Amino acid sequence: LFVIDAITSIITATVVFRLIPETKPEQRPDHKPESLLDTLVGYRVVMADKLYMVFLIVSILMLVVYQQMYSTLSVYLRDVHGLPDRLYGLLLTLDAAVVVVLQFWVTRRIRDYSPMLMMALGAFFYMIGFTMYGFVDTYAMFVLAILIITAGEMIVVPVSQSIAARFAPEHMRGRYMAFFGLSWSLPSTIGPWAAGLIMDNYDPNWVWYASGLLSIVAVSGFLALHLATRERLATAPKAFEA
């Protein structure tokens, strides 16, 4: 497993190095390198961007839900429904296979729409897919739920990265993307911990009911951000093509 992982990582690195164009702006001859203090002070600019910070907060709520697929879902399906580990693995394999086959097609179809509306749509798919696990009890329905979640995943992942880049001034993309990374790492910590508390002390199905409620909040947040950021994002260059 790990040897295959290493081989695929090397292939990916080679493809990126040979085929992906560099987007970093060229530095002017008179450019003065930043000190560490200058870099740290620069993060204040990101934190002062209120709309971007709201976008990250709403994204964190949504990703707390999404992270359940890689942590809580396996324990829940095994302990509550008696699902063998192999069948849970097949669910993740199906998710990955659908992404490989359809991701570029989906990206082409959504790139001309409002990015915040697409985030709301992706969160809506998460709401449906994850909430289903609190109500269904057959493997066919587990498969249907994972396919709905995958549909949301194929929308959210490229669009969210595009939004982070479009919020950023060209010379501050690194700082904005650093904060964007936090919107993924924090849910990776919070999500499994919170779900574990629920499963240990309450009805395990409440993990999925709570996921649905958080997703509704996220959908509402992205719709509000659509209204607040329409002009700003409309004038920013698109950050992904497919």
Side-chain angles (χ1 to χ4, degrees):
L1 177 64
F2 294 104
V3 170
I4 293 173
D5 189 33
I7 292 172
T8 57
S9 297
I10 291 172
I11 293 172
T12 301
T14 303
V15 170
V16 171
F17 179 74
R18 297 296 300 270
L19 301 179
I20 305 299
E22 178 61 71
T23 60
K24 180 181 178 182
E26 293 186 8
Q27 295 182 351
R28 300 187 305 272
D30 59 345
H31 174 75
K32 180 182 177 182
E34 284 187 349
S35 66
L36 177 60
L37 179 60
D38 292 332
T39 299
L40 295 177
V41 170
Y43 284 112
R44 294 172 57 186
V45 177
V46 186
M47 296 177 67
D49 190 337
K50 294 180 180 179
L51 287 175
Y52 184 60
M53 297 308 293
V54 172
F55 165 69
L56 293 182
I57 292 171
V58 176
S59 296
I60 286 172
L61 295 177
M62 177 189 65
L63 293 171
V64 164
V65 175
Y66 175 70
Q67 290 296 337
Q68 304 307 322
M69 183 169 71
Y70 299 108
S71 54
T72 314
L73 183 59
S74 60
V75 178
Y76 172 82
L77 292 178
R78 182 195 65 193
D79 293 353
V80 176
H81 293 287
L83 194 73
D85 295 343
R86 177 179 59 84
L87 293 183
Y88 167 73
L90 286 176
L91 292 177
L92 293 191
T93 301
L94 177 62
D95 168 74
V98 172
V99 170
V100 169
V101 173
L102 295 180
Q103 181 65 77
F104 286 111
W105 181 85
V106 171
T107 303
R108 292 190 185 100
R109 295 302 180 276
I110 66 176
R111 65 186 178 188
D112 293 327
Y113 293 96
S114 165
M116 289 300 180
L117 289 181
M118 292 300 97
M119 291 296 291
L121 178 61
F124 176 79
F125 282 128
Y126 286 170
M127 179 192 70
I128 299 298
F130 283 103
T131 304
M132 282 180 64
Y133 283 108
F135 295 96
V136 302
D137 58 5
T138 65
Y139 193 72
M141 296 305 290
F142 297 157
V143 169
L144 177 60
I146 208 73
L147 289 174
I148 294 172
I149 292 169
T150 303
E153 181 182 18
M154 290 189 291
I155 295 171
V156 164
V157 173
V159 173
S160 61
Q161 295 181 48
S162 171
I163 289 174
R166 292 168 74 173
F167 263 114
E170 188 177 64
H171 65 289
M172 297 194 71
R173 283 180 182 166
R175 293 184 179 94
Y176 272 72
M177 294 306 293
F179 269 78
F180 176 74
L182 288 176
S183 71
W184 283 82
S185 58
L186 288 177
S188 298
T189 302
I190 297 170
W193 170 76
L197 288 179
I198 294 174
M199 292 187 68
D200 287 345
N201 298 284
Y202 305 100
D203 182 348
N205 288 326
W206 266 103
V207 171
W208 314 112
Y209 305 155
S211 294
L213 293 174
L214 284 177
S215 297
I216 291 173
V217 174
V219 170
S220 302
F222 287 128
L223 291 176
L225 281 167
H226 166 67
L227 299 176
T229 63
R230 213 165 12 182
E231 293 184 5
R232 178 173 174 181
L233 295 182
T235 59
K238 293 181 181 179
F240 70 87
E241 296 291 342

